[in-house]
Amino acid sequence: MYKIGVVGEKDAVIAFLSLGMTVKAVETVNEAVQAVDGMAREGYGLIFLTETFAKDMEETLLRYQNQMIPAVILIPGTQGSLGIGLEKIRDNVEKAVGVDILSKKEG
């Protein structure tokens, strides 16, 4: 069974401890990159990462984008959602289905 990890600012990730997940509270983008890469090396199957840090970690996210494991899922940080996670989901759905079915259509 794969482990689940969470990386981000302390206030945004601390609650995940109660769900039995490994939590890495970080303060800098460099710490976040090291935490994600470390969890990937340790065989984590799923890593939640706050958008606060993800916005500055494009190279790291690209490294894991086409791999089955780990799946890196973006979650809102303490600043709320920056829309990055939803955009990535929309891109993946469009790639899989061939059309953007998640956009709100004006009509």
Side-chain angles (χ1 to χ4, degrees):
M1 177 176 259
Y2 291 106
K3 296 184 276 184
I4 300 173
V6 186
V7 177
E9 56 274 29
K10 183 178 180 178
D11 292 343
V13 301
I14 198 74
F16 288 92
L17 280 172
S18 64
L19 299 173
M21 298 178 190
T22 302
V23 171
K24 300 282 184 178
V26 296
E27 295 181 6
T28 67
V29 172
N30 189 47
E31 289 177 353
V33 169
Q34 290 177 357
V36 169
D37 287 342
M39 287 179 171
R41 276 192 305 277
E42 293 172 24
Y44 280 70
L46 179 61
I47 302 170
F48 290 106
L49 173 65
T50 60
E51 291 179 334
T52 308
F53 290 103
K55 67 181 172 54
D56 297 318
M57 295 174 55
E58 192 64 33
E59 185 178 320
T60 302
L61 294 175
L62 286 174
R63 186 169 40 250
Y64 300 111
Q65 180 176 330
N66 295 322
Q67 296 181 19
M68 287 294 268
I69 296 174
V72 179
I73 307 297
L74 305 185
I75 59 174
T78 55
Q79 301 172 358
S81 178
L82 303 177
I84 301 168
L86 181 58
E87 180 182 327
K88 296 232 181 261
I89 290 171
R90 183 177 288 120
D91 291 345
N92 287 332
V93 168
E94 185 173 358
K95 204 182 312 180
V97 195
V99 66
D100 183 1
I101 62 172
L102 298 178
S103 287
K104 294 181 181 176
K105 303 291 183 202
E106 299 288 328

